[in-house]
């Protein structure tokens, strides 16, 4: 190998390494760091149209439309997208808003992001495992947290205890 070849090969290796590093950085900072991921076409097959609209398109179900709004039996509320346990009936309360409401999620179950859509500064709530949109969290909830997790019932599956 001549010195010129060696320089060229090392340069190419450095370029390849840099590209791999950039790729890894982009993955870590984007929406694709969730452990459960599917393509858009797969999500459409896995979910009902209403579930897809909320979970994958950040839609909002009509108030009073979810039977889970008035569900107060003992049990667990799982993500409709990936079955991760998100809330329990112990933290559910009747907010009077027409959407299922909780004052606390299970540890590590949800993540939040700022949402400035609809001319409002709101905090969006999504499943920490699949990234599915669940609803929003507000600061006008009951004690002990003072938080109101305003959830779309269609994004949740109730599992009786
Ligand atoms: Zn999920």
């Amino acid at each position: 190998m001549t010195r010129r070849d060696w320089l060229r090969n090392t340069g190419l290796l450095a370029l390849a390494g840099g590209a791999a590093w950039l790729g890894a950085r982009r993955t870590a900072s984007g929406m694709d760091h969730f452990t459960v991921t599917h393509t858009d076409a797969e999500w459409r097959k896995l979910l009902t149209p209403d579930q897809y609209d909320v979970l994958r398109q950040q839609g909002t179900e009509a108030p009073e439309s979810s039977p889970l709004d008035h569900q107060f039996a003992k049990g667990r509320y799982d993500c409709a997208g990936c079955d991760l346990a998100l809330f329990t009936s112990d933290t559910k309360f009747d907010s009077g808003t027409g959407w299922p409401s909780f004052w606390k999620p299970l540890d590590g179950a949800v993540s939040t992001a700022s949402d400035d859509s609809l001319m409002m500064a709101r905090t969006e709530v999504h499943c920490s495992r699949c990234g599915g949109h669940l609803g929003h969290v507000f600061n006008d909830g009951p004690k002990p947290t003072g938080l109101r997790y305003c959830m779309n019932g269609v994004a949740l599956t109730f599992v009786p205890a």
Side-chain angles (χ1 to χ4, degrees):
M1 189 189 287
T2 65
R3 179 174 163 76
R4 175 173 288 213
D5 284 343
W6 183 84
L7 276 174
R8 195 173 63 213
N9 289 343
T10 331
L12 283 173
L13 275 177
L15 272 176
W21 182 80
L22 279 173
R25 292 260 304 169
R26 197 159 47 236
T27 303
S29 63
M31 281 289 280
D32 48 353
H33 62 277
F34 299 108
T35 52
V36 171
T37 57
H38 296 289
T39 63
D40 189 60
E42 286 168 346
W43 279 121
R44 281 180 187 274
K45 269 189 222 157
L46 288 166
L47 304 171
T48 68
D50 287 346
Q51 287 172 336
Y52 177 84
D53 181 56
V54 170
L55 286 164
R56 309 314 309 179
Q57 304 285 26
Q58 310 223 342
T60 300
E61 70 189 10
E64 315 282 350
S65 68
S66 172
L68 296 186
D69 185 24
H70 298 293
Q71 170 65 262
F72 289 98
K74 282 266 179 204
R76 207 180 64 216
Y77 293 83
D78 293 353
C79 174
C82 74
D83 295 334
L84 178 67
L86 302 175
F87 298 93
T88 72
S89 51
D90 295 342
T91 61
K92 194 170 190 294
F93 69 100
D94 186 359
S95 64
T97 58
W99 287 285
S101 302
F102 304 82
W103 49 263
K104 197 175 93 162
L106 289 168
D107 286 345
V110 306
S111 302
T112 58
S114 60
D115 174 7
D116 297 325
S117 65
L118 303 178
M119 309 286 281
M120 285 183 278
R122 295 181 297 172
T123 303
E124 186 266 348
V125 178
H126 55 267
C127 171
S128 65
R129 187 156 73 177
C130 73
H133 170 72
L134 304 169
H136 291 84
V137 59
F138 301 92
N139 288 321
D140 56 8
K143 287 179 179 174
T145 61
L147 298 174
R148 172 170 60 92
Y149 285 82
C150 183
M151 301 289 101
N152 289 280
V154 74
L156 305 171
T157 306
F158 178 64
V159 183

